[in-house]
Amino acid sequence: MTSLAFGARLAAEFAAGRHLCAGIDPHAPLLADWGLGDDAAGAERMGREVVAAAAGVAACVKPQVAFFERFGSAGFAALERVLADAREAGLLVVADVKRGDIGSSFGAYAEAWLAPGSPLEADAMTAVAYQGFGSLAGAFTQVRDHGKGLFVLAATSNPEAREVQRAVRDDSRSVARAMVEDAEAFNADLATGSTAAAVGAVGVVLGATLDLADFGIDVAKPAVGPALPVLAPGFGHQGARIEEAAQIFGGIGHALLANESRSILAGGADGLAARVRERAEAIAAALSASRV
């Protein structure tokens, strides 16, 4: 594997005009659409096909681990082979695991998904930190010492999350705003003494269909320090338009990973590579135009 840290690898992808995060979501209806069985073998086939189509075209792939985990040990074995393909292709992988815990328990999750040599090793993982940003400390060693990344849920599109994510803490910040600002502070601290950290190692998940001001997030605020990676679901099938990314994310959208799953997966393996390339090119063109 490359020795470059996650933020540096993201920066290289962005410099090359790659911003698509290709989702790998082998749920039953999509597997049926592909003519595959709703089993570990079907999930593996889809995952490996997406990796092959995304290599050199998308910035990263994001396997939704739940759709592999439901098949037990066979599902994890299938996922390991998908991850191995991605490593061989030099493709960044964000493991969408949404793990959250405290102390050594979260540290164990981080070892499973981020530790070099782990069968499930990815470049970054999604995490839930509603116990506080400090609950992620078990992963910070993987970030600092092994160049790994994290994406922390901040503002998501499901209606049930609004009450928690918009809740105001004792420090007068909403939970969502705190996740954004704490990630920015971590990245700034990590970059102290370095001029090369153009993109941070810790990012946030922000739904592209949301008005982020409703969550207490000021998108007009100038970015400070390394660019904050933003993993943004909601483009494509869910209705958000990539052409509006600059208005949606403002100053915190310079390191944007636009996640699309259904728009590239629907239709089966036939035409997959063309759909991935079309969406990757459309996203790159839209983001380039928004910065002119």
Side-chain angles (χ1 to χ4, degrees), residues 148-184:
K148 297 299 186 175
L150 292 172
F151 284 96
V152 187
L153 271 64
T156 57
S157 59
N158 57 308
E160 303 88 348
R162 292 177 65 86
E163 184 175 0
V164 172
Q165 293 168 352
R166 297 172 63 198
V168 178
R169 310 182 341 164
D170 289 344
D171 61 8
S172 299
R173 300 185 296 171
S174 69
V175 170
R177 174 186 165 191
M179 295 302 159
V180 170
E181 293 181 347
D182 289 352
E184 289 177 325

Side-chain angles (χ1 to χ4, degrees), residues 60-162:
C60 65
V61 292
K62 183 178 70 65
Q64 172 45 262
V65 171
F67 293 124
F68 291 87
E69 189 172 323
R70 66 198 179 106
F71 299 124
S73 60
F76 278 112
L79 178 58
E80 287 174 16
R81 288 187 282 271
V82 173
L83 297 176
D85 279 6
R87 284 193 292 271
E88 181 67 22
L91 185 60
L92 280 169
V93 178
V94 178
D96 196 354
V97 296
K98 298 184 180 71
R99 299 297 195 250
D101 213 319
I102 58 174
S104 59
S105 296
F106 188 75
Y109 285 133
E111 287 183 22
W113 295 102
L114 300 178
S118 168
L120 295 169
E121 181 186 359
D123 299 291
M125 63 182 284
T126 57
V128 181
Y130 296 130
Q131 303 95 324
F133 192 82
S135 67
L136 304 176
F140 292 162
T141 296
Q142 305 297 336
V143 173
R144 292 191 178 102
D145 296 348
H146 301 300
K148 297 299 186 175
L150 292 172
F151 284 96
V152 187
L153 271 64
T156 57
S157 59
N158 57 308
E160 303 88 348
R162 292 177 65 86

Side-chain angles (χ1 to χ4, degrees), residues 30-31 49 62 92 169 189 196 211 234 268 287 291:
L30 276 177
L31 288 171
E49 292 271 4
K62 183 178 70 65
L92 280 169
R169 310 182 341 164
D189 181 67
D211 180 351
L287 293 180
R291 291 168 185 150

